[in-house]
Amino acid sequence: MSSDEQDIAAGLSARVRALLAEHDVADERAFLGARFDAGLAWVHFPEGHGGLGLPQVWQRQVEAELAEAGAPYPDPGRNPIGLGMAAPTIAAFGTEEQKRRFLRPLWTGEELWCQLFSEPGAGSDLAAVATRAVRDGDSWIVNGQKVWTSGAEKARLAILVARTDPDVPKHAGLTYFVCDMTAPGVEVRPLRQITGEAEFNEVFLTDVRLPDFYRLGEEGQGWRVATATLNNERVAIGGAPSARETGMIAKVARAWRDHPELREPAMHDELMRLWVEVEANRLTRVRLRQQLAAGQPGPEGSAMKLAFARLAQRISGFEIELRGEDGLRYDDWTMRQPDYVDMTGRGPGYRYLRAKGNSIEGGTSEILRNVIAERVLGLPPEHRVDKSIPWKDLPR
Amino acid sequence: MTLLYSETEEFLRDSVRRLFADRCPPGAVAAAYDGAADFSGLWKSLAGDLGVAGLIVPESLGGAGASAREAAVVLEEIGRAVAPVPFLSSAVLATTALLEAGDTALLPALASGERTAALAVPLTSGPPTSGPPTSGPARHAAAVRHGDGGLTGRVTSVAGAAEADVLVVPVAGDDGLELRTVARDAPGLTVTPVLALDMTRPLADVEFAGTPSARVGPGEDAVARALLAGAALLASEQVGLARWCLETTLAYVKERRQFGRQIGSYQAIKHRLADLWLEVGQATAAARYAADTIARGDEDAEIAAAVAQAYCSDVAVHAAEECVQLHGGIGMTWEHPAHLYLKRAKADQLALGTPYHHRARLGDLVDLPAS
Ligand SMILES: Cc1cc2nc3c(=O)[nH]c(=O)nc-3n(C[C@H](O)[C@H](O)[C@H](O)COP(=O)(O)OP(=O)(O)OC[C@H]3O[C@@H](n4cnc5c(N)ncnc54)[C@H](O)[C@@H]3O)c2cc1C
C-alpha cells in the first residue's frame, strides 16, 4: 500500500468507527440511513449521495469492517433491482435532484424497485419495446404492457424503458424513466412460474402520468442508459467474489458428507468436476477484482453471469440425482409472492427449477455469448435487418 | 496473493517468447516427428543464456532465486510455442526433487544450464493420493531396487530422459524410498527413446542393470513434492497452449469466408469461441493460483494444484480440438501447426495425473471422499 492508500484506509476505518459509535446497529433502517449519510453506502458514489467519490475497491474494506461489527446490510435478496441496477444507473445518469430524491430511500430499503424492461414483443431484443411515452406539458403519458417484472407487487418505483419516438430506428427512439408504481393506471398481475410461486408479474400501464422529473438521461438516450443498467445487472448476478465452497455447491457437498449411503462411484467424479469448476470460477472472480484494483478491468466480467448460470443449473440438477428419494419430493407448490428470493434456499427441487431462470433473466446465455463474441473477441456482428428502419415500419 | 502477472514476469515472458519465435517456429517443431531434429541448442539458449533453468533454485546454489511463479510464465510460453525443451522435466521435476532431498552437488550445474536432469518416473505419475498406491512414490518404489551390484529395474515413459546428462532415480532402499543420481553414460544404463503421441516432449524407457549410482537423500517427500510442483506448473503450460489455439482460431474464423460471409459471423462458431474464451480465462486464474501457492509454500498448494490440473488439462484439449475442427481440412494437415498443439494437449492431459486422478485426489483433500 502506498502512503496515500494508507491514509484512505485509515480515514475509512475512522468513519466506520464513528458510525458504529453514534448509531445503534439494532435499528436497521436508521443505521442504514446514517451509513448513507456518512458516505459509506457506496464509497464510489459522489459525496452527499451515499459515497465519498473513492475508487470502488475501497467498498470491500467498509463491508468487512461493518460485517465484523454485526452491522445490518441492505439485503440484495430484498431489493435486487434497486441495489444492483437502479442505484448505479441513477448515480451515472441522474441529476443532483434525482440522486437526492431516489438514492437514500433505495439504500435503506424504504422504497423497493422493479424493472419494467421486457415486453411480450421485446425480450432479448429490448430495443424493440413498444410501450409509448408521449410528452404532455411538464409530464409524460405512458401506455403499454410489460412482462416478467420481478417484485412489481412490492415495488414503490421502477426503472422503465419506453418509446418516445417511433419515427426513428428502434435504438434511437427510446427514453429511460423512473416509474411511480403507485400512480393511477399502473396495474400489476402476478404470473405464476415453474417453481409454483410468482416472483414476476405482468404490468399494464394505462395513461400513467409521470412528471418530467422522472426522466433519467436525455430524451432519445434511453438505449445508452439501459445498456449501463444491463451491464450492472450482469455483474450483480455473476460477479461478486465469494469464499470457497459457498452457494449451490455447498448444499451438494454437505449432502455428500452427511449421507454416505447416497454415494455412487461415478457420481464422485461428477461432484468433483463441479467442485473444480466452481473453484476455478471463484478464482477468476478474485482475479477480476485484482485486475479492477490494478486499473486494468478485464472483459471477463461479462462472462461471469454465463458461467454462473451454467454452474447453477448443472449443480442443482446433480443434487436432485444425488438425493435419490429426497430428490423426488418438493417442499411447497403453493402460489404465493415471495418476499425474498434466495436461489440457494429451500429444497433441491426448488433450487433446480429456479436455476433455470438464471440463463434467461438479465440477458439469456445465448445473448451473452453474442456479446462476448462481438465485443470481446471482435467477431462479426449478427445480421440485423432492423437496424436502420424506423421503428414504426418494422415487420411485426 | 496476486493472480496477475508482475512486470518482471512480463519481462521474462517477452524474452522467452522472442527466443521461441526466432528459434522454434512451428515448422521447426514439426521436425521432432521425423526423428532428425536436434533441439539441444535451443535448450542451451533458454537454460543458459536466458537463465531460466535455475529459476526455482536459490541463489546460494547458483540459481536465480526466483520462484514457481516465474517458472509458470516460462511454461506458458513453452505451451504457446509447443517448444520441445526439457524445462518441466529438468528445471521443475528433477530440480524440485533434488532440492527437497538436500542435494548441493548437482543443482548448481542444473541451475546454470550446464547439465540437464530427468526424474525417472513415468510421465503419467500424479501426486500421490491417500488411497491405495496406484500411483505416486509408493508405486515407483517397486520399479528400481538398489543392491550390491548397483541399480536394477525398469522405468517406462520417462520425459526428458534422452536429453538428460543425469537421471534422478527414486529407488527402494532399506528405509523407504531414496533418491539417487545416475550419470547418463553409466554402465548398465539403457535409455530407449519411444515413438510418442507427442514428440515435442520426448519419452524414453529406462533400464537399469547393475548400474552404479550416488545417493542424494530420502526420496518419499522429494518425489511427492516434485510431482506436486510439476502438476501445479504444467497447468500454466496448458494455459499457454490453450491461449495460442484460441487466438489462432479466432484469427482464422475472421479471415476465412464461406457462403459469402466470414465463418466467424456464424453463431454456431461465435458461441463455441465465447465458451472457449471463458474457459481459458478461468484456466488462467486456476493456474496462476496453483503457481502462486507453490511459490509461497502455502498450505493450500495441494488443493490448488489438483484444481488447476483437473481444470486446465481439459481446457487445453478442448482448445486444441476446437482449433482443428474450426480450421476445417487445413486443421487436419501436417503442414498446419494445429496438430502439434493437439498432440501436446492430449499428452499433457495424462501427464502428472489425469483430471480423473486429480479429482479423486481433491475429494480426499476437501473432505469429499469417494466412498
Ligand atoms: C425469473 C425471471 C425474472 C425476470 N425478471 C425481469 C424483470 O424484473 N424485469 C424485466 O424487464 N424482465 C425480466 N425478465 C425477463 C428477461 O429479461 C427476458 O425473459 C429475457 O431477456 C429473454 O426475453 P424473452 O423472454 O422475450 O425471450 P426471447 O428473447 O424471445 O428468447 C427466446 C429464446 O431465443 C433465444 N434468442 C433470442 N434472440 C437470439 C439471438 N439473437 N441469437 C440467439 N438466440 C436468441 C434466447 O436466448 C432464448 O433462448 C425475467 C425473466 C426471468 C426468467
Side-chain angles (χ1 to χ4, degrees), chain B:
Chain B
M1 189 268 291
T2 172
L3 304 180
L4 309 179
Y5 301 100
S6 70
E7 261 177 54
T8 327
E9 287 162 0
E10 292 292 8
F11 189 72
L12 176 64
R13 176 198 304 289
D14 282 351
S15 46
V16 175
R17 188 174 292 190
R18 253 182 283 122
L19 177 75
F20 288 155
D22 193 30
R23 301 275 298 280
C24 79
V29 176
Y33 288 84
D34 293 325
D38 176 7
F39 297 103
S40 57
L42 174 64
W43 171 236
K44 285 273 171 267
S45 304
L46 182 69
D49 303 348
L50 294 189
V52 307
L55 279 176
I56 63 170
V57 177
E59 282 168 284
S60 58
L61 289 170
S67 79
R69 288 181 58 98
E70 288 81 2
V73 169
V74 172
L75 277 159
E76 282 186 24
E77 292 309 306
I78 288 175
R80 187 181 181 86
V82 278
V85 287
F87 179 81
L88 186 71
S89 47
S90 183
V92 178
L93 289 169
T95 297
T96 304
L98 288 168
L99 280 167
E100 291 293 322
D103 169 84
T104 52
L106 184 53
L107 281 166
L110 291 188
S112 68
E114 204 178 307
R115 303 180 77 189
T116 302
L119 182 65
V121 298
L123 181 61
T124 49
S125 316
T129 51
S130 64
T134 51
S135 67
R139 193 180 62 168
H140 309 306
V144 183
R145 317 210 134 256
H146 179 233
D148 291 340
L151 299 184
T152 50
R154 181 176 149 82
V155 189
T156 49
S157 309
V158 178
E163 300 99 301
D165 309 301
V166 190
L167 296 181
V168 178
V169 191
V171 174
D174 293 336
D175 13 85
L177 205 64
E178 58 177 31
L179 212 60
R180 294 185 156 263
T181 52
V182 172
R184 180 66 176 74
D185 53 10
L189 172 67
T190 320
V191 175
T192 314
V194 301
L195 272 187
L197 173 68
D198 166 32
M199 292 296 284
T200 64
R201 192 187 321 276
L203 301 179
D205 293 340
V206 178
E207 181 109 36
F208 302 92
T211 315
S213 66
R215 187 176 190 280
V216 180
E220 193 80 35
D221 290 348
V223 175
R225 293 296 303 174
L227 294 178
L228 181 71
L233 297 188
L234 176 61
S236 288
E237 175 177 310
Q238 290 161 327
V239 165
L241 186 156
R243 217 179 277 153
W244 182 91
C245 292
L246 174 63
E247 288 170 14
T248 304
T249 309
L250 267 176
Y252 185 70
V253 304
K254 287 179 191 178
E255 167 201 308
R256 169 75 175 166
R257 304 177 77 91
Q258 285 292 279
F259 301 97
R261 295 158 56 175
Q262 290 151 286
I263 57 171
S265 69
Y266 294 108
Q267 209 176 63
I269 291 177
K270 287 164 76 170
H271 284 194
R272 279 162 73 164
L273 290 173
D275 284 336
L276 185 60
W277 170 79
L278 173 67
E279 285 176 31
V280 174
Q282 299 201 144
T284 305
R288 277 324 270 161
Y289 184 61
D292 189 69
T293 51
I294 294 280
R296 286 185 292 110
D298 192 300
E299 58 182 31
D300 209 28
E302 302 252 357
I303 292 177
V307 167
Q309 264 307 290
Y311 193 72
C312 301
S313 293
D314 290 346
V315 170
V317 171
H318 184 207
E321 290 180 348
E322 290 291 60
C323 184
V324 170
Q325 173 65 18
L326 297 180
H327 277 79
I330 287 173
M332 201 60 199
T333 62
W334 193 264
E335 190 186 341
H336 193 280
H339 70 104
L340 303 171
Y341 290 81
L342 178 65
K343 291 163 187 169
R344 179 79 163 239
K346 198 62 195 170
D348 275 2
Q349 198 182 26
L350 277 70
L352 299 164
T354 61
Y356 295 96
H357 174 85
H358 288 284
R359 288 192 289 268
R361 190 170 135 60
L362 185 63
D364 295 335
L365 294 170
V366 302
D367 184 29
L368 289 169
S371 55

Side-chain angles (χ1 to χ4, degrees), chain A residues 81 114-126 146-151 193 199-200 233 354 356-367 370 382, chain B residues 267 271:
Chain A
I81 307 283
C114 68
Q115 179 187 20
L116 295 171
F117 280 22
S118 305
E119 297 180 3
S124 298
D125 187 9
L126 173 63
K146 295 287 176 178
V147 74
W148 323 129
T149 318
S150 307
Q193 60 205 52
E199 265 175 62
F200 50 38
E233 177 175 30
R354 183 60 186 81
K356 292 291 169 253
N358 295 156
S359 55
I360 303 172
E361 59 202 325
T364 70
S365 291
E366 289 74 26
I367 295 299
N370 284 348
E382 295 293 291
Chain B
Q267 209 176 63
H271 284 194

